[in-house]
Amino acid sequence: MVICEAKDYKDLSRKAANIISAQVIMKPDAVLGLATGSSPEGMYAQLVEWYNKGDVDFSRIRTVNLDEYRGLAKENEQSYDYFMHKHFFDKVNIDVNNTNLPNGLAEDPEEECRRYDALIESLGGVDLQLLGMGHNGHIGFNEPGDFFDKGTHCVDLQPSTIEANKRFFESEDDVPKQAYTMGIGTIMKAKKILVIVSGADKAEILKKALYGPVTPKVPASILQMHPDVTVIADKAALSAGE
Ligand code: GLP
């Protein structure tokens, strides 16, 4: 695992965008596993800037997103689909037909999870998976629990996750209570993983994830077992030490 300290959020965003760009240059039809949340916003903005300068071409890239709220339509401004269009897909030359997210409105959740896993498989797996990390150590929406989930599944969100995400909704009641997420098994199958973590409020959980025991109580700790992980964290996120 490579742990790279960024000076601040801007530096973190540039470093992460550099890694994504390098992947796209080295393999123009790469499968990128993408993430949402506030952590990658700066990175997407940086990629858009470089795209506008002609430095990077996304025309052949394929994407699969980590997660999506259950019950939200694509058009809902809080859906992850909407986020991806707003911050990235609509601003670069990516072919929208090559972008994929779980369908929040799928009628049969089990069938939707099977569809998503089969889709990832049919693309040949994920070349580079981007991850943020929740305050309780969740990755995607894999919440702390008693075991690591394997494939894509539908989860009940924990009260702390609903609380953390309510800032994007009008009220806490509007936050969906369930979400689709790639499983830990799906994430661990990615050839490379890039994790970005920002802010002092994530310092304690980041320390546990990087240096603590590998346990489903801290889902991100499983990343210690992956052969090719790069963590980019700013000074504040790394302030709890080892
Ligand atoms: C959300 C998302 C995760 C994200 C995490 C952190 O609930 N499902 O994919 O990494 O929480 O979000 P943020 O970057 O806004 O702190």
Side-chain angles (χ1 to χ4, degrees):
M1 182 181 282
V2 174
I3 300 170
C4 171
E5 183 179 289
K7 287 192 289 264
D8 50 28
Y9 182 69
K10 182 150 181 66
D11 186 32
L12 172 155
S13 300
R14 287 175 66 87
K15 284 182 161 65
N18 263 303
I19 291 177
I20 301 275
S21 300
Q23 175 68 65
V24 172
I25 292 165
M26 288 190 294
K27 188 174 178 190
D29 64 347
V31 176
L32 299 179
L34 297 178
T36 54
S38 44
S39 305
E41 278 185 27
M43 185 206 78
Y44 288 125
Q46 184 63 75
L47 286 172
V48 169
E49 194 182 316
W50 288 337
Y51 165 74
N52 286 330
K53 282 188 185 157
D55 288 346
V56 52
D57 173 15
F58 295 98
S59 58
R60 292 171 58 205
I61 284 299
R62 284 103 33 93
T63 69
V64 279
N65 261 75
L66 264 179
D67 47 14
E68 178 61 286
Y69 287 115
R70 181 166 182 226
L72 296 192
K74 287 171 192 278
E75 301 74 33
N76 187 305
E77 290 185 19
Q78 306 310 335
S79 75
Y80 286 168
D81 202 298
Y82 191 94
F83 175 103
M84 289 309 303
H85 279 269
K86 178 174 165 201
H87 292 281
F88 192 49
F89 297 159
D90 293 351
K91 295 187 170 172
V92 297
N93 65 338
I94 202 161
D95 178 350
V96 79
N97 296 315
N98 288 334
T99 66
N100 301 280
L101 284 97
N103 173 9
L105 292 186
E107 276 182 19
D108 178 346
E110 282 182 21
E111 175 54 33
E112 177 57 10
C113 294
R114 275 196 297 275
R115 179 194 74 85
Y116 208 63
D117 280 335
L119 169 84
I120 297 169
E121 199 82 30
S122 74
L123 294 173
V126 173
D127 289 299
L128 174 61
Q129 178 66 55
L130 172 69
L131 296 176
M133 202 181 72
H135 290 94
N136 57 8
H138 73 225
I139 46 179
F141 269 129
N142 290 277
E143 297 279 32
D146 296 330
F147 54 89
F148 291 113
D149 273 290
K150 288 198 196 112
T152 300
H153 56 289
C154 185
V155 289
D156 293 330
L157 299 178
Q158 291 204 348
S160 63
T161 301
I162 293 174
E163 169 71 26
N165 288 342
K166 77 172 187 210
R167 65 190 194 276
F168 300 112
F169 292 82
E170 270 184 20
S171 78
E172 193 166 329
D173 287 343
D174 292 331
V175 188
K177 307 293 177 281
Q178 287 188 313
Y180 291 104
T181 182
M182 284 185 193
I184 294 291
T186 328
I187 293 169
M188 290 296 279
K189 272 198 230 157
K191 292 166 194 115
K192 282 180 269 189
I193 297 182
L194 169 62
V195 193
I196 52 179
V197 189
S198 169
D201 51 329
K202 299 231 175 115
E204 280 306 323
I205 193 69
L206 180 60
K207 179 181 168 182
K208 282 189 193 158
L210 297 181
Y211 306 110
V214 174
T215 163
K217 308 266 183 241
V218 182
S221 65
I222 191 76
L223 299 172
Q224 294 178 34
M225 313 292 286
H226 190 283
D228 193 349
V229 176
T230 302
V231 179
I232 302 180
D234 55 20
K235 267 197 165 66
L238 286 168
S239 61
E242 294 185 19

